[in-house]
Amino acid sequence: MGLRDMFSNYVYRQMEKRGLNEDIHSHSIRFGGRYADDGNILESSDVYELLQDISNQMMLAECVVEDRDGNEIRNDPALKVLKNPNNYLTGSEFIKLMTNTYMIQGQVFPLLNKDQLHIATNIHTELDEQLVEHFKTGVGGTRIPSSMIRHIKNMGTNHLKGVGLLELGRNTLEGVMSAEKVLTDKYTKGGFLAFLLKLDAHINPQNGAQSKLINAILDQLESIDESRTVKLIPLGKGYSIDTMKSPIEDEKLLAYLNIYKKDLGKFLGINVDTYTALIKSDLEKAMMYLHNKATKPMMKNFGEHLTLLFFGPDSDKRIKFKINILDFVPYSTKTNIGYNIVRTGITSPDNVAEMLGFEKQNTPETQAIYLSNDLTKIGDKKATDDSLKGGDDNDKEEGG
């Protein structure tokens, strides 16, 4: 065993006594890795932002019940449950929780218990010989009737289990989270400042004076807790102290994160570069991109499962998620849309179109509309029908 190895082992034993053996061992500094699970996965800011964008779209969608002809049933009891699923979650919170669980774990289990809706956890599933799915709780193996619960899966190639970010991107995710932790810890602690004590003399564990000197030097070094602290450490012949450079190289870690953080978006169904570029140039296109790539398929899957959960397989009623994409466009865009609608309404009568310099439509309706009758009823077909019939006496007087 060489002198350096002997000294390293000796220093390690001394540091172990001080409870610092997690930092120094066998010539190297060890940094703890991160194991991604559904409890800490949101600690990565980029992952959190992507999940938020998708689950917020789902949360802003409206649940509706339709009959077989596509007509909305506004007083269906299922709507009341979806808006107030239980005593601890609102309807929006429930959808957001269900969406995040679905994306992270790859599957989620909504459970309907009379007039309350819950997200079941620790559920085990199996198919019997008749290919009927059975559900058991992890604790005690209690069976749950299949009519009370649905198994919503983010489909991969396994018909029994969905795949989510935690499984698809586990290696990438753990690498990203570990790199983030190393950088965060480094700057939280003011940089990993370390010192190397060099000895030219032979290390003798039985040498009490030598051990006392080494302990004194280590005590002095450990007490340096901030950059403004200055320590004067007198050393005897054969002893020297060198500052060790931090093994954490920011540039390399940041380059790693810049590459692999983007890969996480692919496991959620979007290209981060494309999405980021669209957000900078056109928010509406960015939201439509996110909607079509990630949210829309999820809305369809959730709607089908909730339909079966509430109404069963033989009902003509359907639960659907409907989203107003105008929720995601700037106010100026909404203003332009409103302006165009109003402008179209104003120029509908041919006489007004001609006066304002627009081309006349030359239809019986546009030629017969009474201006005083239709300015307050743009788009109302009955107004046009009334005007074609001549309207009532008051309208004739006003229009004539």
Side-chain angles (χ1 to χ4, degrees):
M1 180 181 292
L3 177 62
R4 187 178 296 272
D5 291 333
M6 291 176 64
F7 174 71
S8 296
N9 290 336
Y10 179 80
V11 171
Y12 173 70
R13 287 194 298 272
Q14 298 301 316
M15 299 297 271
E16 189 175 30
K17 293 177 182 178
R18 294 168 166 81
L20 300 174
N21 57 309
E22 291 182 358
D23 291 334
I24 297 180
H25 178 68
S26 189
H27 311 298
S28 64
I29 296 180
R30 296 180 293 151
F31 303 104
R34 297 297 301 276
Y35 295 96
D37 57 48
D38 54 359
N40 64 17
I41 193 172
L42 297 180
E43 292 178 14
S44 176
S45 58
D46 291 68
V47 179
Y48 179 79
E49 183 179 16
L50 288 174
L51 290 172
Q52 282 287 94
D53 287 350
I54 295 172
S55 60
N56 280 344
Q57 275 205 6
M58 289 294 297
M59 188 174 69
L60 290 173
E62 182 184 4
C63 291
V64 299
V65 177
E66 294 182 353
D67 61 19
R68 62 185 304 172
D69 298 320
N71 301 313
E72 286 191 26
I73 305 174
R74 298 187 177 276
N75 58 348
D76 193 280
L79 292 175
K80 184 178 180 181
V81 177
L82 290 169
K83 290 179 180 177
N84 298 284
N86 51 56
N87 296 326
Y88 53 90
L89 290 173
T90 66
S92 298
E93 290 171 339
F94 181 87
I95 295 299
K96 193 174 183 69
L97 174 63
M98 186 163 67
T99 303
N100 285 334
T101 304
Y102 176 84
M103 287 190 289
I104 293 174
Q105 298 183 359
Q107 56 190 9
V108 64
F109 298 88
L111 184 147
L112 182 63
N113 183 16
K114 297 180 180 179
D115 60 348
Q116 288 205 347
L117 193 59
H118 307 272
I119 299 294
T121 58
N122 200 16
I123 300 296
H124 300 288
T125 63
E126 59 182 13
L127 291 180
D128 62 18
E129 296 178 353
Q130 286 74 39
L131 301 181
V132 176
E133 190 172 20
H134 296 273
F135 302 88
K136 292 182 181 179
T137 61
V139 180
T142 304
R143 288 188 176 273
I144 302 175
S146 57
S147 59
M148 292 177 58
I149 193 170
R150 293 299 304 178
H151 185 186
I152 307 180
K153 300 175 287 293
N154 182 29
M155 290 303 300
T157 56
N158 189 334
H159 63 286
L160 288 176
K161 183 177 182 294
V163 288
L165 177 63
L166 196 56
E167 181 177 346
L168 290 171
R170 181 182 292 276
N171 292 335
T172 302
L173 187 64
E174 288 179 352
V176 166
M177 293 179 68
S178 294
E180 286 182 334
K181 183 178 186 295
V182 167
L183 280 179
T184 301
D185 286 349
K186 175 180 177 180
Y187 290 101
T188 299
K189 299 174 181 177
F192 290 120
L193 182 61
F195 299 94
L196 177 65
L197 178 63
K198 297 180 179 179
L199 287 83
D200 293 333
H202 176 69
I203 299 292
N204 183 359
Q206 304 300 322
N207 189 331
Q210 191 181 57
S211 298
K212 186 175 181 180
L213 178 60
I214 291 176
N215 285 332
I217 293 172
L218 291 175
D219 288 338
Q220 289 278 2
L221 293 176
E222 290 171 16
S223 65
I224 300 176
D225 55 359
E226 55 180 84
S227 60
R228 292 174 297 175
T229 301
V230 177
K231 293 286 183 180
L232 181 61
I233 305 176
L235 299 175
K237 184 179 179 181
Y239 294 83
S240 63
I241 297 176
D242 289 344
T243 302
M244 292 179 63
K245 181 183 177 182
S246 171
I248 300 172
E249 300 183 33
D250 295 3
E251 294 77 11
K252 291 184 179 180
L253 277 179
L254 291 173
Y256 171 87
L257 291 173
N258 286 336
I259 293 172
Y260 289 101
K261 272 191 175 183
K262 297 174 183 177
D263 283 347
L264 295 173
K266 297 176 182 178
F267 298 118
L268 296 174
I270 63 174
N271 184 294
V272 174
D273 284 332
T274 302
Y275 181 54
T276 303
L278 286 173
I279 286 180
K280 293 178 180 178
S281 61
D282 192 321
L283 182 60
E284 182 180 6
K285 287 182 180 179
M287 292 300 104
M288 285 303 300
Y289 173 80
L290 189 70
H291 177 70
N292 290 324
K293 290 281 289 181
T295 311
K296 193 173 181 179
M298 205 178 304
M299 289 166 57
K300 181 176 176 61
N301 197 13
F302 283 13
E304 290 177 347
H305 277 279
L306 290 177
T307 294
L308 293 170
L309 183 62
F310 278 92
F311 306 127
D314 300 323
S315 175
D316 289 332
K317 294 191 291 186
R318 295 289 179 267
I319 293 176
K320 291 185 177 181
F321 287 79
K322 290 189 175 181
I323 194 166
N324 182 7
I325 203 62
L326 291 178
D327 288 336
F328 306 105
V329 303
Y331 186 79
S332 59
T333 302
K334 296 179 182 180
T335 303
N336 289 334
I337 293 172
Y339 168 74
N340 290 334
I341 292 174
V342 172
R343 186 184 67 178
T344 302
I346 290 176
T347 58
S348 291
D350 280 347
N351 59 336
V352 176
E354 184 178 22
M355 177 180 67
L356 297 178
F358 292 93
E359 184 177 352
K360 295 189 293 184
Q361 300 180 52
N362 291 320
T363 64
E365 290 80 10
T366 59
Q367 291 174 354
I369 289 176
Y370 290 99
L371 186 60
S372 60
N373 183 40
D374 286 282
L375 274 179
T376 57
K377 296 185 179 180
I378 294 173
D380 189 342
K381 186 175 183 300
K382 290 185 178 180
T384 303
D385 293 343
D386 291 342
S387 62
L388 287 174
K389 297 176 183 178
D392 56 28
D393 293 338
N394 292 333
D395 287 340
K396 289 181 180 180
E397 292 176 3
E398 293 176 4

